[in-house]
Amino acid sequence: MGCSALSAYLVVAVGLCSLLDCHPEAHRYKTQGHRSIFTWDQWTRAVAVGLSNILLFSWFATIPAWQLQRRGGGSGAWDTPLSLPNELACFAVHVVTIDVWFYVTHRALHLPLLYKWIHKFHHAFKAPAAIACVYANPIEFCVGNVGGVVLGPALTRCHPYAAAYWLAFSLTSTSLAHSGYRAFGAEEHDAHHEHFSWNFGVGILMDRALGTCLPEGLRARGGEKIMKRS
Ligand SMILES: [Zn+2]
Ligand SMILES: [Zn+2]
């Protein structure tokens, strides 16, 4: 399962999106235009932090989640029959779980003290690129990011293949959300990095329910600002 998450990060963020970022023509499709350009130093720093988070620190969240799944009666056996309707229902639960978990932990990380100690590190990228999707303090990475991803499968006790797919899907989704490309649906999280106090969730559910979606007026003013700069 760890391999599926690592592969998604390497293929989508380090490979595909970095190649696109190297092409000057591609920058016109970024929500923050030329601000999304990063230096070689920033690229290597983001990839080094991302890989160390995935390879060294993710175990602090995945092992307790695995234990929770086993205690709940899940066998974790790869050769058990796979029921598609059941796994689709589990997938829907995972999507809601990550939105609620990420929203709550992310808003907490914007409290002044937690922001200064932990979350400011992730916000170093005001116009993020895909390689910076897991550029985070290890505490934030384990609790806010991996914690929310593995909590769903731990609760639903889904099939291990479905859990591996969910992990790869989550890494792909966060890579694209940080890519800066409109075509990949990056506008909402990109706006969080630019405007800071809006769009805390990974989905539309929590931000809509709690009224923290970026107001259209502010989005339009941001657009003007970017056009003047470019
Ligand atoms: Zn934030
Ligand atoms: Zn981010």
Side-chain angles (χ1 to χ4, degrees):
M1 283 184 215
C3 287
S4 68
L6 178 63
S7 306
Y9 177 67
L10 291 175
V11 171
V12 180
V14 180
L16 174 69
C17 290
S18 292
L19 278 175
L20 269 177
D21 290 340
C22 288
H23 201 296
E25 272 300 300
H27 299 154
R28 63 165 68 187
Y29 302 105
K30 289 233 177 192
T31 56
Q32 296 192 55
H34 66 278
R35 290 183 74 206
S36 280
I37 299 170
F38 47 82
T39 62
W40 173 245
D41 178 57
Q42 287 172 316
W43 190 90
T44 49
R45 198 154 35 95
V47 173
V49 170
L51 289 179
S52 69
N53 271 338
I54 294 170
L55 295 172
L56 302 177
F57 295 109
S58 58
W59 307 107
F60 289 100
T62 52
I63 291 173
W66 180 254
Q67 292 299 327
L68 184 65
Q69 197 258 5
R70 294 292 293 272
R71 257 205 291 273
S75 67
W78 292 84
D79 56 355
T80 50
L82 201 150
S83 157
L84 191 59
N86 184 51
E87 299 309 331
L88 286 174
C90 290
F91 185 85
V93 173
H94 301 166
V95 170
V96 175
T97 304
I98 182 67
D99 194 27
V100 173
W101 182 270
F102 185 78
Y103 185 94
V104 171
T105 56
H106 191 187
R107 273 204 89 164
L109 285 168
H110 274 260
L111 296 172
L113 213 54
L114 291 178
Y115 181 80
K116 190 177 159 196
W117 286 347
I118 298 174
H119 193 46
K120 191 175 180 183
F121 188 75
H122 180 66
H123 274 274
F125 285 81
K126 299 278 181 287
I131 34 118
C133 66
V134 282
Y135 182 81
N137 179 299
I139 297 171
E140 173 181 349
F141 178 71
C142 289
V143 177
N145 300 352
V146 187
V149 171
V150 297
L151 183 61
L155 295 174
T156 60
R157 295 171 226 151
C158 64
H159 195 283
Y161 280 121
Y165 172 78
W166 167 246
L167 259 66
F169 175 86
S170 302
L171 250 298
T172 301
S173 174
T174 191
S175 297
L176 298 179
H178 284 86
S179 70
Y181 292 106
R182 289 184 209 97
F184 295 156
E187 287 107 321
E188 302 309 323
H189 193 66
D190 216 285
H192 172 72
H193 277 261
E194 188 183 17
H195 296 285
F196 195 73
S197 302
W198 306 97
N199 295 1
F200 293 98
V202 291
I204 55 171
L205 192 72
M206 291 296 284
D207 276 310
R208 290 236 170 116
L210 297 172
T212 48
C213 291
L214 180 73
E216 283 305 319
L218 195 55
R219 194 192 299 270
R221 285 209 298 280
E224 282 169 20
K225 192 173 61 184
I226 290 163
M227 284 180 74
K228 275 179 197 158
R229 271 201 301 261
S230 54

